[in-house]
Amino acid sequence: MNLIVTLVIGGVVGWLASLVMKTNAQMGIIANIVVGIVGSFLGFWVAGLIGLGASSGIGHWLIALGGAVLLILILKALKVLK
């Protein structure tokens, strides 16, 4: 059950990040899930490095979304996404 929840939340976070970065037309559901999950790990890692922590559900979502946006920025810089 945890795997299903992770995939669904990763998909939502990846989809929201792709909307923010205007890459939604280039990304499918699998890419959204991967960007959401990997971006969430990236976001929490970076937040930990700079001393930020989330104490609420909204804070967790914002850090995950920020990490996914950062991942899309990195992918754009590497010319993986346009």
Side-chain angles (χ1 to χ4, degrees):
M1 190 65 167
N2 288 337
L3 177 63
I4 294 170
V5 171
T6 300
L7 293 175
V8 169
I9 292 174
V12 170
V13 168
W15 173 67
L16 289 173
S18 70
L19 288 176
V20 169
M21 297 301 295
K22 297 182 181 24
T23 59
N24 192 36
Q26 302 171 29
M27 298 174 55
I29 189 166
I30 302 299
N32 282 337
I33 292 171
V34 171
V35 166
I37 293 171
V38 174
S40 293
F41 283 116
L42 178 64
F44 280 98
W45 179 69
V46 170
L49 286 178
I50 60 175
L52 293 177
S55 60
S56 68
I58 293 173
H60 287 114
W61 278 92
L62 291 175
I63 290 175
L65 180 61
V69 167
L70 178 62
L71 180 59
I72 291 175
L73 278 172
I74 291 168
L75 292 174
K76 280 184 160 187
L78 295 173
K79 306 284 186 204
V80 176
L81 291 173
K82 292 182 181 183

